[in-house]
Amino acid sequence: MSKNKFETDAIRTQLERSQFQEHTTPMYLTSSFVFEDAEEMRASFTEEKDRNIYSRFSNPNTTEFVDKVIQMEEAEDGYAFATGMAAVFSTFAALLSSGDHIVSARSVFGSTHTLFTKYFPKWNIETSYFDINNPAEIEALIQPSTKILYAESPTNPSVDIIDLELLGDIAKKHNLLLVIDNCFATPYIQQPIKFGADLVIHSATKLMDGQGRVLGGVVVGKSDLVREIYLFSRNTGPALSPFNAWVLSKSLETLAVRVDKHCENALKIAEFLENHSAVSKVKYPFLKSHPQFKIAKKQMKLGGNIIAIEVKGGLEAGKKFLNAIKMCSLSANLGDTRTIVTHPASTTHSKLSNEEQLAAGITPGLVRVSVGLEHVSDVIQDIDQALTS
Ligand SMILES: *Cc1c(COP(=O)(O)O)cnc(C)c1O
């Protein structure tokens, strides 16, 4: 579908100009659209005519944003959501029925895990989990009722990698839908459809916006599946706002240059930390020491902006590190221009028992760094002084 290179389509894909001949796309903050006559209205509602009706269904700004993501992922169709979680929930809710079964990696985004454990069972949809580092477990979990195979790569917060081609082969062999949350990689680094994914989900809140401003989500993939998700969403109402779509479409214009720099900085910081005496382990996909370095190199163009480190001294050392940070932000977001450090064991995951933490890949000294776009030497200096303080 894409006719130019990634960067060019990200910039040059735009709506037709209005009567004002604007250079960049204006905002269409309108809840609804008008019709010439009864016949046009009838044709629009029966979908004989493809046009905007109401911004819960579609809006020009949303269309522009989605069109860019479709091109970036080399997908057939897509739909945009108010948040990444709305995209995740609507995908499952649209495609599954009571009695269906999901096979998912255990280490998925926290709220996605909560959907699987707390909400889907209410509708008789059960999930079985495999260890992201042991894909040989997957086939034994598949039941006659299994419909969806689900994973993220790289994972949060432990930056594990799973072989997408292997997942694609398993999904094909067992006639499952392969759904990949590609948020950590972005389509600039990794395109899961090439490895057999049927649908790709993004939290656009992260690197797609990349500047910590808006929430958004998007699903792209096979058109018959996207159609089901669209019809479900058109009636249930999780649509992305036109304003956020306008922001996100602008953000995508700079996705490639931003992600290039994020990854360049992240690799330098990972290399620095690998030789640091206060750090016992560094996990970054493009370090040779990463257990799945070869798979990462096969399916990713760059290593991403997330680094997982293990500080020596466990829980107390992790807490001390966080408290000694001066410039970097302590925040729940990631994929921002600002470098963000988190210590899951003492913050986001502190309510879990030690066993539960370990099952989620969270060791006591695990620190996650979401590398931003500040000058890399300033970030290294801040992390170094916090580690040695
Ligand atoms: C943040 C995130 C989500 C949820 O996205 P929101 O926009 O916060 O709703 C889903 N998956 C992954 C991997 C994420 O990092």
Side-chain angles (χ1 to χ4, degrees):
M1 181 182 172
S2 172
K3 57 184 191 315
N4 299 308
K5 297 269 191 285
F6 187 97
E7 294 83 344
T8 312
D9 275 335
I11 291 165
R12 289 289 170 183
T13 300
Q14 79 182 67
L15 299 170
E16 260 178 59
R17 295 204 167 95
S18 78
Q19 68 195 96
F20 299 115
Q21 292 298 307
E22 66 278 352
H23 193 187
T24 77
T25 303
M27 262 188 262
Y28 290 91
L29 294 186
T30 178
S31 47
S32 66
F33 302 83
V34 292
F35 303 92
E36 282 298 318
D37 50 35
E39 169 51 25
E40 195 195 8
M41 197 159 180
R42 185 204 61 78
S44 305
F45 271 87
T46 53
E47 294 187 41
E48 286 160 34
K49 203 171 156 124
D50 184 24
R51 53 153 288 168
N52 294 302
I53 299 172
Y54 189 61
S55 288
R56 168 151 45 81
F57 309 174
S58 69
N59 169 283
N61 292 120
T62 308
T63 301
E64 185 184 277
F65 166 63
V66 174
D67 281 349
K68 287 185 182 180
V69 182
I70 291 171
Q71 285 175 339
M72 289 176 169
E73 290 285 6
E74 296 184 42
E76 294 171 6
D77 203 357
Y79 185 80
F81 296 85
T83 67
M85 280 322 299
V88 172
F89 174 73
S90 303
T91 298
F92 285 106
L95 300 177
L96 296 181
S97 302
S98 172
D100 286 344
H101 177 247
I102 302 163
V103 171
S104 170
R106 186 171 286 107
S107 47
V108 288
F109 186 69
S111 295
T112 304
H113 197 260
T114 304
L115 287 181
F116 293 160
T117 52
K118 188 168 172 195
Y119 295 103
F120 288 168
K122 293 208 298 187
W123 300 302
N124 193 28
I125 294 167
E126 297 294 335
T127 306
S128 302
Y129 305 96
F130 61 90
D131 177 348
I132 194 94
N133 290 313
N134 190 11
E137 291 178 0
I138 296 173
E139 289 197 88
L141 299 173
I142 296 171
Q143 304 171 10
S145 59
T146 308
K147 289 279 155 63
I148 289 179
L149 179 59
Y150 189 83
E152 298 169 8
S153 184
T155 61
N156 179 29
S158 45
V159 200
D160 290 313
I161 300 286
I162 192 156
D163 188 339
L164 296 177
E165 193 178 3
L166 176 68
L167 292 183
D169 290 345
I170 294 171
K172 203 165 166 196
K173 180 174 161 198
H174 294 273
N175 201 21
L176 309 177
L177 297 177
L178 178 61
V179 182
I180 299 293
D181 181 335
N182 199 30
C183 170
F184 271 42
T186 81
Y188 180 62
I189 291 186
Q190 172 175 284
Q191 295 164 304
I193 289 172
K194 287 197 174 142
F195 302 103
D198 298 285
L199 290 168
V200 176
I201 299 178
H202 285 279
S203 165
T205 314
K206 313 294 167 54
L207 285 158
M208 280 193 172
D209 174 44
Q211 289 146 88
R213 302 171 296 186
V214 297
L215 299 175
V218 59
V219 177
V220 297
K222 296 219 168 98
S223 49
D224 55 332
L225 301 171
V226 171
R227 167 106 190 129
E228 287 303 314
I229 296 165
Y230 162 71
L231 289 175
F232 176 84
S233 305
R234 168 176 163 147
N235 288 296
T236 53
L240 180 64
S241 84
F243 176 80
N244 285 7
W246 179 85
V247 172
L248 287 168
S249 186
K250 298 274 170 244
S251 305
L252 290 183
E253 294 182 13
T254 57
L255 183 71
V257 285
R258 285 188 288 106
V259 170
D260 270 335
K261 192 67 183 175
H262 274 290
C263 296
E264 184 192 318
N265 285 357
L267 183 61
K268 281 185 188 151
I269 294 169
E271 282 167 349
F272 168 79
L273 291 171
E274 214 171 22
N275 299 311
H276 202 288
S277 60
V279 174
S280 61
K281 207 164 108 188
V282 179
K283 221 148 136 209
Y284 181 71
F286 271 29
L287 283 182
K288 281 207 183 71
S289 56
H290 191 288
Q292 282 94 32
F293 173 70
K294 280 208 181 103
I295 296 169
K297 280 279 183 180
K298 181 180 80 170
Q299 66 195 27
M300 298 169 76
K301 182 174 156 180
L302 295 163
N305 81 315
I306 310 290
I307 307 169
I309 63 176
E310 185 71 23
V311 295
K312 285 183 189 165
L315 190 69
E316 281 313 308
K319 243 194 271 183
K320 237 177 91 187
F321 169 76
L322 223 61
N323 288 333
I325 282 287
K326 288 189 176 132
M327 178 188 77
C328 297
S329 314
L330 315 188
S331 169
N333 197 16
L334 59 92
D336 193 296
T337 50
R338 296 159 188 83
T339 298
I340 295 167
V341 293
T342 52
H343 178 234
S346 72
T347 58
T348 48
H349 294 69
S350 60
K351 285 210 185 83
L352 301 186
S353 69
N354 283 350
E355 294 73 45
E356 287 171 325
Q357 286 186 356
L358 288 177
I362 294 157
T363 48
L366 176 78
V367 167
R368 185 191 74 189
V369 185
S370 165
V371 176
L373 299 178
E374 304 97 335
H375 196 285
V376 67
S377 60
D378 290 324
V379 180
I380 287 177
Q381 193 181 23
D382 191 28
I383 292 176
D384 184 36
Q385 66 80 26
L387 283 171
T388 45
S389 73

